Amino acid sequence: ASATGESMDQMMSEKKAVTEARSKMAAQIETLVKTVTDNYGKSGEMNGKEELMKRYETLTREVVNQKLSGTIEICNKQTKTKTGNYKTYVTLELGGPDVLSALNSKLSNDEMLKIDYNYEKFKKTFEEEMNKMDSK
């Protein structure tokens, strides 16, 4: 996950970039999206004329709650803008086993998915054992 951060303060610029990159990475693993929409309409008639009133509002919120362990910073470059601010470019990486561990943790906590997940693990182990027997 890559991100940029800009600030008059050098450390704040870096903190913004790192926080945004972590947020992006966590959101790629799991994001809960909540949306509330109000759609209101009113029609009235007076003296042969119709008056139509409409109102549409929507609010969407993304909630990310993901523990990230094992992130590696693979790029961190700072520059200064024409206005004198610091701009930091950061790229973070989460290795395959770490991503799998995070997903494994989420899947294991979901009771509906847990049964399917355990079955797939069992099936994989079973197939591995059957292949061992076939190769003998």
Side-chain angles (χ1 to χ4, degrees):
S2 298
T4 59
E6 187 173 333
S7 176
M8 293 184 298
D9 180 74
Q10 184 177 10
M11 292 305 295
M12 184 58 72
S13 167
E14 184 173 358
K15 285 180 183 180
K16 285 180 176 181
V18 169
T19 299
E20 184 62 27
R22 284 183 182 147
S23 176
K24 280 183 179 181
M25 188 177 293
Q28 289 173 351
I29 295 172
E30 179 183 23
T31 302
L32 174 65
V33 178
K34 297 178 180 182
T35 300
V36 176
T37 303
D38 288 328
N39 190 355
Y40 174 77
K42 180 180 178 183
S43 173
E45 195 175 314
M46 189 168 154
N47 296 329
K49 287 188 172 182
E50 183 180 21
E51 184 177 301
L52 182 62
M53 297 176 5
K54 292 183 179 182
R55 178 181 174 146
Y56 180 84
E57 292 181 3
T58 185
L59 173 65
T60 301
R61 174 177 291 165
E62 284 187 22
V63 179
V64 177
N65 182 15
Q66 180 64 51
K67 180 180 178 184
L68 294 176
S69 299
T71 56
I72 301 166
E73 189 175 277
I74 58 173
C75 178
N76 183 328
K77 180 175 174 145
Q78 288 191 333
T79 61
K80 239 180 167 183
T81 66
K82 291 179 182 178
T83 60
N85 285 347
Y86 292 94
K87 193 164 194 174
T88 305
Y89 301 88
V90 171
T91 301
L92 301 178
E93 179 179 80
L94 187 60
D98 296 313
V99 172
L100 186 58
S101 176
L103 291 172
N104 185 14
S105 173
K106 286 294 176 190
L107 287 174
S108 296
N109 289 334
D110 187 321
E111 289 300 320
M112 289 300 288
L113 293 175
K114 191 173 185 177
I115 294 168
D116 292 337
Y117 178 69
N118 287 337
Y119 171 73
E120 290 301 323
K121 276 177 48 177
F122 167 78
K123 191 166 96 175
K124 181 181 176 193
T125 304
F126 176 78
E127 289 171 355
E128 288 171 357
E129 291 300 319
M130 292 304 288
N131 287 336
K132 284 180 191 177
M133 287 178 65
D134 289 342
S135 65
K136 287 184 181 180

